[in-house]
Amino acid sequence: MDPGLLSLDFLYESAPFPSCHAATLVESDRGTLFCAFFGGTHERHPDVCIYLCRFDGTKWGDPVSVADGVMDDRTRMPTWNPVLFQPRGGALMLFYKVGPSPKDWWGMVKTSDDDGQTWSDAKRLPGKLLGPIKNKPVQLDNGLIISPTSVEGVLDANDDGLASAGVVVASVGEAKQQVSQMGWNVYFELSADNGNTFQATPLVEQPGGMKAIQPSVLIHSQTKLQAIGRTQKNQRIFETWSNDGGQTWGPMGLTELPNCNSGTDAVTLADGTHLVVYNHSDTEKVRYPLNVAMSKDGKKWQAACTIESEPPGQYSYPAVIQTRDGKVHIAYTWKRLRMRHGVLDPSKFLLRNIENGR
């Protein structure tokens, strides 16, 4: 293993589902580590549920179903992309999506007041709000929660609910003019009341037909923020910057890091260094190897660690957090068959320059 990669293990050995995807990690207020993901027959199948594993300090517990897509009329929809989040002084939150596809899903949330032992009834998010779409929110020192999200597919510009989804650039009239260009678009949902309510920002401007989803938020200061994430056909990870604490975001650009049209995740460490977990590949849907890169300024990135490199495996949709002991934890989909968990020590990384994409 590369220096800094302390351990790499499967989250579980067996489970009541053959396929799984889309990890999320959180350390609760009580110091408990959780990992959630969706599992079922296959992605989009109505039996897909949200599963949760708890780490007891020594080993991971078995996956437990904590949310499903059963509707009031007993019909059933698949669930998608859970995101765990612990607001300061609040209940542990589990966001997820329900619906037939990413174009038609809607946001749901559950909460836990007893460290993940039990969960509230599911609540649909109001209006067109989706919640964090894949990656965790961040909470600034002033309490503002910034939930990174995105939409997929062409949207109906005649829908009055567009404003609550953050998809109006300046006015509904302008949205109608731009609807033909809408596909993958990034925006943010902000909460000033510790996650009780959220207000969406406008869509981030995506010049030149750029299509992007699934942002992660990096904190350079309490006012200067950066979001990075997945692009569809641009072959590189996108970036967008905010200079007012996440209220507004500048036009999207591209970083030097490659992207293969697959999810990434990133985190700002306690020492201010930024870390991203991603596939160092610019070939469409070639989701290996799985890598870690580090940056002091969010612009110049250095190779830090290779997590997986064996082709032709799919090592995808990573989640990353730093726990209070300074260690970095990652979880990701291993060949759509199981979830894998790794522990890293950033102080032991052997950083290398990335030259000409290598």
Side-chain angles (χ1 to χ4, degrees), residues 132-145:
I133 213 68
K134 174 193 174 293
N135 298 323
K136 59 198 171 297
V138 299
Q139 190 166 19
L140 302 181
D141 290 349
N142 63 8
L144 183 71
I145 295 171

Side-chain angles (χ1 to χ4, degrees), residues 60-82:
W60 287 97
D62 292 337
V64 175
S65 176
V66 291
D68 58 38
V70 176
M71 314 303 290
D72 290 340
D73 63 359
R74 310 312 298 171
T75 59
R76 190 164 182 162
M77 293 282 187
T79 61
W80 309 75
N81 293 16

Side-chain angles (χ1 to χ4, degrees), residues 41 58 75 84 177 218 224 258 327:
T41 299
T58 303
T75 59
L84 289 162
Q177 294 173 8
L218 299 173
K224 185 178 181 181
K327 297 295 190 298

